[in-house]
Each structure stands twice: as C-alpha cells, then as structure tokens.
Amino acid sequence: MNKVLDGYVEQSRKMKQTDNLFVLDPLHTPDKPILLRLRCISNHNKLFRKTMCDPKLVEIVSDLLGPSIRYINQEKVNMKPPQSSSSLIRWHQDWAFFPYTNDSLVTVCIAIDDSSRENGCLQVLPGSHKGPLYSHFQDGAFVSAITDPALDPSSAVHIEVPAGGVSFHHAFTVHGFLSKSIRTFTSYVVL
C-alpha cells in the first residue's frame, strides 16, 4: 500500500487543486507535494478494493454487525505528512458525516504505517459510542469537528496498531488523529 500511495503522491505533483480523488494541503506545490487524503480510493485502485473485501476482515465485521453487511463507498486514505499545514484530524464522531438513519455502523481503520503515540495514532474516548452525539457545527456551518464545549477529551486512550493491523470503532465513538506522520486506510461498514 505504501508503494501505491507513493505513486499517488507523485501523481499529485501535477495537481493544482483538490478534486474528487486528491485532497491537497494548502502548501502543496509540484516541487513539494503534500497529499492529505485520497477519497474513495477503492474506485481507483484494485489493491484497496481487494483489501476491503478480504475474507478475514469481512469475517470480523460480520462478527461485530451480523452476516448482512455492506460497505459504504466513502472510504479514504488519510495521509498526515509532517510538512502539512493542516493534517490534524480533530475530535469528531463519524456519524456526523453520514446521511443514514441506521446506526449499526462500524469504522474499520487499517494501519498502513506503524501507528503509535509518537507518530499520531488514533485516539478514542472510551464509552463515547454510547452517546451523546455532539454538535459539529459552528455559527450554522458544518466544521467537521466537535464544537460542543462540554466535550472532555482527558480520558482519551491511544490505539497503537502495527502496520497491517486493524482497529474498529462505532460511528458514535469520539476520536481523532491529533499528531502527524501516519497513513491509514479507513472504510465504513453498515449492517
């Protein structure tokens, strides 16, 4: 996956602005490409599509949600290069991004790089999957992060996962990637 992603970074040198696949950092230039995210990567790359359908992964998700599962075609690769101006993924709940009423959703995060405290691994608030749902709006606009001053992240735990490892969390779970220098492939599954 890293080799494939390095190829996309090279392709991004030709890009001047974000499009449906490439999300570029504001500091991105052809000489210093800074690719933040690849959206719906499985539509463009067989390796990522195959990974989403890996029988071992499907079996684990089926154990969590039941046998009738489907992937939501909103998966992405988050790339948090250290030179980025905006690669932090602030505290949020995935549910805020979904137009669904069925909350039987699990987020699957595959660590492409070793994911540790030092390089900005996923952090979660234990028990937050039980609610409440927090506001992700400020002054009437969706801002992709929790804006509720009642949020207390002091109980956050680090989810350290080796490259190739997988973590799972419910769509209500409060989480974020609060440091830099890590690549993760995130897919969403619904019952």
Side-chain angles (χ1 to χ4, degrees):
M1 285 185 167
N2 270 317
K3 189 181 217 179
V4 169
L5 295 178
D6 290 344
Y8 279 107
V9 170
E10 283 304 308
Q11 286 181 41
S12 76
R13 289 180 184 276
K14 302 173 192 168
M15 307 292 298
K16 294 186 179 180
Q17 61 186 25
T18 293
D19 67 9
N20 289 334
L21 174 60
F22 294 88
V23 177
L24 307 176
D25 187 273
L27 300 176
H28 173 87
T29 66
D31 293 333
K32 294 185 180 178
I34 306 174
L35 181 58
L36 297 180
R37 178 173 292 146
L38 293 165
R39 296 187 261 212
C40 297
I41 186 69
S42 68
N43 291 340
H44 305 274
N45 185 274
K46 291 178 185 177
L47 174 62
F48 285 90
R49 185 172 33 259
K50 183 180 174 183
T51 300
M52 285 177 38
C53 299
D54 182 277
K56 290 179 186 177
L57 191 59
V58 171
E59 181 180 348
I60 293 169
V61 172
S62 294
D63 286 347
L64 294 170
L65 293 179
S68 298
I69 60 171
R70 66 183 171 93
Y71 284 96
I72 301 169
N73 194 16
Q74 291 182 327
E75 88 285 343
K76 61 184 176 268
V77 173
N78 286 317
M79 300 169 57
K80 296 172 28 169
Q83 69 275 26
S84 170
S85 67
S86 60
S87 64
L88 302 183
I89 300 173
R90 299 177 296 162
W91 294 112
H92 68 282
Q93 293 167 301
D94 292 338
W95 182 252
F97 297 85
F98 297 136
Y100 305 107
T101 55
N102 176 3
D103 64 6
S104 293
L105 290 160
V106 65
T107 300
V108 179
C109 291
I110 300 171
I112 297 171
D113 297 326
D114 287 335
S115 180
S116 66
R117 285 178 183 240
E118 291 75 30
N119 69 357
C121 66
L122 174 69
Q123 294 181 51
V124 301
L125 296 185
S128 60
H129 66 287
K130 297 175 184 175
L133 292 176
Y134 290 97
S135 174
H136 290 65
F137 288 84
Q138 187 170 351
D139 300 326
F142 185 72
V143 295
S144 302
I146 294 173
T147 57
D148 190 326
L151 177 69
D152 177 10
S154 63
S155 64
V157 297
H158 292 82
I159 308 299
E160 296 185 289
V161 180
V166 182
S167 67
F168 303 87
H169 63 267
H170 188 273
F172 291 179
T173 302
V174 175
H175 64 288
F177 291 89
L178 304 178
S179 297
K180 297 182 179 184
S181 300
I182 190 170
R183 291 174 169 178
T184 59
F185 174 43
T186 304
S187 182
Y188 306 98
V189 183
V190 65
L191 174 62

